[in-house]
Amino acid sequence: MTAWDTCALCPRLCRSACPVASGSGREASVPATIAWVLREWEHGRVSEGDARRVATLCTDCGACQTHCHIHEPLPERLRRVRAALIPFVEPQPIGEVEGDGEHVVVEVDERPVATWLAASVGRDVRRLVTSDHLGAVQMHHRAFESHRDVLAQRLGREASVVVTDGRVARVLRSAGIAFRWLHQVVTLPTDPIVGSCASPGERPMACCGGAEPLRSHHPEDARRVGERFGQRAVTSTYADGACASHLRECGLQVVDVVEVLRQEVGA
Ligand code: SF4
Ligand code: SF4
């Protein structure tokens, strides 16, 4: 018996709930198939490379567990095996929070969101700049713990941490740090906003394919999932900049709320 047996021998009941299985159309990405391959790997009948390939056909969305008749903790199991199969790369050091003000915006690219938010709300806003989404790709490794501790020291006591990217949101959640999305701290003139799978919201599928580890390890599958997601999406403004950039790469005309804010303040 291995921990994978229940899923490996399951008649693929969560298949349609999994965005990677339904979006990519690949049999290898069906949760039960992934479990089967990892079971074979534990028995020494499949190579480590093949195990890594299937374990990363996932966006860690949790839909399989939610829709499972027995709520099998497959996502957590996949996280653990990925931590063992993917080499740890030291994340960038966490920077200092800069400036004054109540809100702290975590900035993930060259766009000065804190400056634009300050212009919109008429008050100073602080920023924490990260070039690697707070090390999100490494967040399930045991070695990430010390990184999480530093993050908790920097942001753990802040009253208002503001995010614009789901990768950052996942890291903050894993460190127990409360946060709000940009559109929750400023009123923006826009159509309904699609929430992030990093925070439960109304979405046409559990994930658009823009989340890790799928996006880094299987870009072609991530693109197919995004195209499928786009066929079902009914609105074009996204809370999560990672979703918006991924869907643009998939050819969709979408924006994130940072772009709406930029236009609002005339930047
Ligand atoms: S998570 Fe549940 S439904 Fe999905 S493969 Fe495992 S046992 Fe089957
Ligand atoms: S966590 Fe999401 S992407 Fe990963 S196997 Fe489950 S349903 Fe599929």
Side-chain angles (χ1 to χ4, degrees):
M1 287 283 287
T2 76
W4 304 104
D5 284 3
T6 306
C7 291
L9 302 172
C10 165
R12 307 170 177 224
L13 296 174
C14 61
R15 175 189 190 130
S16 60
C18 174
V20 185
S22 58
S24 73
R26 276 182 67 184
E27 200 59 30
S29 63
V30 173
T33 308
I34 293 173
W36 177 272
V37 174
L38 293 173
R39 177 176 180 258
E40 293 300 292
W41 169 62
E42 284 198 351
H43 284 304
R45 295 192 282 260
V46 158
S47 71
E48 189 170 304
D50 284 343
R52 189 181 306 114
R53 262 187 290 285
V54 296
T56 48
L57 281 165
C58 177
T59 60
D60 198 22
C61 69
C64 49
Q65 184 172 3
T66 304
H67 288 81
C68 175
H69 55 309
I70 51 172
H71 300 294
E72 191 67 11
L74 180 59
E76 173 56 29
R77 220 165 267 150
L78 289 172
R79 266 176 237 137
R80 279 205 299 270
V81 79
R82 285 194 293 263
L85 288 168
I86 302 172
F88 183 72
V89 178
E90 197 65 48
Q92 295 295 314
I94 305 283
E96 299 288 341
V97 175
E98 303 164 19
D100 298 303
E102 173 201 357
H103 302 305
V104 181
V105 175
V106 182
E107 291 184 356
V108 298
D109 52 34
E110 73 289 348
R111 296 177 298 180
V113 184
T115 303
W116 296 344
L117 178 58
S120 181
V121 298
R123 298 191 300 275
D124 287 342
V125 172
R126 288 176 292 160
R127 63 167 51 91
L128 175 72
V129 178
T130 173
S131 59
D132 66 348
H133 307 98
L134 302 178
V137 173
Q138 308 295 331
M139 67 180 277
H140 297 302
H141 277 275
R142 208 169 294 154
F144 195 76
E145 276 314 310
S146 57
H147 196 70
R148 234 185 301 269
D149 291 344
V150 175
L151 197 53
Q153 286 165 16
R154 293 277 197 287
L155 293 177
R157 293 195 190 90
E158 296 293 344
S160 177
V161 179
V162 181
V163 302
T164 62
D165 187 288
R167 292 161 286 195
V168 165
R170 286 186 176 85
V171 174
L172 294 179
R173 172 161 297 121
S174 77
I177 298 169
F179 61 85
R180 290 184 284 175
W181 291 91
L182 180 62
H183 69 282
Q184 294 171 329
V185 298
V186 62
T187 304
L188 295 169
T190 176
D191 295 334
I193 293 169
V194 182
S196 169
C197 51
S199 289
E202 285 298 315
R203 297 175 67 90
M205 277 164 53
C207 179
C208 65
E212 298 295 346
L214 184 77
R215 191 173 178 182
S216 294
H217 290 262
H218 302 277
E220 277 305 305
D221 292 288
R223 187 180 54 73
R224 277 194 288 275
V225 175
E227 288 168 356
R228 177 83 186 268
F229 185 95
Q231 290 164 7
R232 300 184 187 181
V234 293
T235 184
S236 60
T237 306
Y238 286 74
D240 185 338
C243 301
S245 72
H246 171 64
L247 291 171
R248 279 197 297 274
E249 286 167 19
C250 298
L252 274 80
Q253 301 287 317
V254 302
V255 295
D256 63 15
V257 291
V258 173
E259 285 307 305
V260 181
L261 175 66
R262 182 181 65 76
Q263 286 167 18
E264 174 73 355
V265 299

